[in-house]
Amino acid sequence: MKLHYFISKRGNFGDDLNSWIWDNLIPGWQEWDHDVTLLGVGTLINDRAFAEHGHKRILTLGTGVGYGDDIVQSSIPSRWDFASVRGRRSARQLGLDETRGLVDPAVLIADFPEFQDLRKSKFPVFTPHHVSVARHNWAKVCDKYGVKYVSPELNSVEVIKEIASAPLVIAESMHAAIIADSFRVPWIPIRINPKFNADKWIDVFESLGLDIDIPYLFPQVEQLANRYAQPRLRRYQRRIRVVCESFVIDQAFEEALQITPFLGNSKRLAVRKAAYLEVLKDAQAKYA
């Protein structure tokens, strides 16, 4: 069996964990049916994927829908096996029974042996989305507030250990929030990039009993930036946003630390994980 997932040039731990998570979840998967491609962890199901890979035999074991136009039911490839998708929203968009929308596979990482008995840290962690890394000097900002900056571009195992060991996680990276929740670390969601995809967060966390609100870190910048939304000024809009953000970044970060953290329902998480493990067993019986 082959594996397909998104690979960022600079690295992104939420995608990079695909390189080792499946060896833990379904050992020997590479020797399964060689005509099948496993669609990895991430937001990879969309109309473009159907057009590009519709002729292939695809197995999904927790992939999410997003980053494309609305899915037309007639365009869904018949050779794709949606054994499980990331959440109920993804299931609905694919016309599947909502029971197929279980959970993001990354929640199982909390049970892997190498992440047990980690030494706890006293410092909260901040992990932005990988597209926001170069936006500001986050390490400098974090240092002012006793927060440890953990770049999503670092080695995925090390990022997960830092998140799992923290007392609190501030996350624009969705997988930073997922990992935090699975290790029972309270987390605060924020959005920095204007193109932030809130739908995929809802897909994940409604399955865990959370109705989350994701505040914009720089609301005072939004109105000013919108003045430059005209076509002739649009090329400057991002630059203007970033400059304006730099003037209020300390205040914004301090206010973010005051937001009430989230933590999903532990019983619901346990039920979802148990159901997902049954899906993995079924996949092994079918494809091994």
Side-chain angles (χ1 to χ4, degrees):
M1 184 172 286
K2 298 174 285 291
L3 174 64
H4 174 76
Y5 64 94
F6 175 75
I7 299 176
S8 171
K9 292 181 180 179
R10 295 182 59 88
N12 178 38
F13 89 99
D15 297 308
D16 297 344
L17 59 82
N18 276 291
S19 66
W20 50 266
I21 188 174
W22 300 107
D23 292 333
N24 287 269
L25 294 177
I26 43 177
W29 64 273
Q30 291 173 315
E31 302 306 317
W32 294 5
D33 194 327
H34 294 291
D35 189 41
V36 176
T37 297
L38 172 62
L39 210 58
V41 175
T43 309
L44 303 171
I45 304 173
N46 50 51
D47 55 321
R48 296 190 303 273
F50 292 163
E52 184 176 353
H53 303 290
H55 63 287
K56 298 179 181 179
R57 292 178 63 200
I58 298 286
L59 169 65
T60 75
L61 292 173
T63 314
V65 173
Y67 296 122
D69 294 331
D70 290 340
I71 289 176
V72 178
Q73 298 294 312
S74 60
S75 70
I76 298 175
S78 60
R79 303 188 80 198
W80 285 36
D81 180 0
F82 299 103
S84 174
V85 290
R86 184 176 58 199
R88 292 182 294 180
R89 174 169 288 210
S90 286
R92 289 193 296 268
Q93 289 178 282
L94 293 166
L96 304 172
D97 190 289
E98 288 191 358
T99 58
R100 298 276 191 97
L102 284 173
V103 75
D104 191 291
V107 300
L108 274 295
I109 291 174
D111 299 326
F112 294 176
E114 59 266 44
F115 297 102
Q116 305 308 306
D117 302 319
L118 297 175
R119 183 177 180 180
K120 294 298 182 181
S121 167
K122 63 180 180 180
F123 298 107
V125 158
F126 168 59
T127 303
H129 190 278
H130 71 98
V131 299
S132 298
V133 167
R135 204 173 184 91
H136 298 288
N137 186 340
W138 295 114
K140 182 178 179 180
V141 175
C142 287
D143 191 56
K144 293 179 182 180
Y145 296 97
V147 174
K148 186 169 186 178
Y149 172 56
V150 177
S151 170
E153 295 179 349
L154 297 175
N155 176 276
S156 57
V157 172
E158 294 308 311
V159 173
I160 291 168
K161 287 182 176 179
E162 292 284 2
I163 292 170
S165 301
L168 174 70
V169 172
I170 304 96
E172 188 192 31
S173 161
M174 184 184 74
H175 273 97
I178 291 171
I179 295 298
D181 201 88
S182 64
F183 279 92
R184 314 315 296 154
V185 176
W187 49 275
I188 295 171
I190 60 170
R191 64 182 178 96
I192 299 165
N193 194 295
K195 296 182 179 180
F196 183 89
N197 186 339
D199 286 347
K200 65 180 187 180
W201 287 66
I202 296 170
D203 191 31
V204 171
F205 291 108
E206 72 174 358
S207 297
L208 301 178
L210 291 175
D211 180 14
I212 61 172
D213 177 42
I214 307 174
Y216 182 38
L217 190 63
F218 302 108
Q220 57 273 74
V221 174
E222 190 73 20
Q223 185 175 3
L224 179 62
N226 286 339
R227 296 179 186 176
Y228 297 90
Q230 301 96 324
R232 67 186 182 88
L233 296 173
R234 195 164 293 153
R235 60 181 294 191
Y236 302 107
Q237 189 178 29
R238 183 187 184 279
R239 187 183 307 170
I240 291 167
R241 278 183 180 273
V242 171
V243 171
C244 292
E245 289 170 6
S246 68
F247 287 110
V248 296
I249 193 168
D250 287 351
Q251 176 189 345
F253 202 80
E254 185 173 6
E255 290 175 356
L257 289 170
Q258 307 306 313
I259 297 171
T260 301
F262 287 90
L263 196 59
N265 184 288
S266 59
K267 291 183 178 178
R268 184 173 296 198
L269 175 60
V271 168
R272 297 270 170 175
K273 288 166 69 172
Y276 182 74
L277 289 174
E278 290 302 313
V279 170
L280 296 182
K281 289 181 182 178
D282 292 342
Q284 182 173 14
K286 184 175 181 179
Y287 292 100

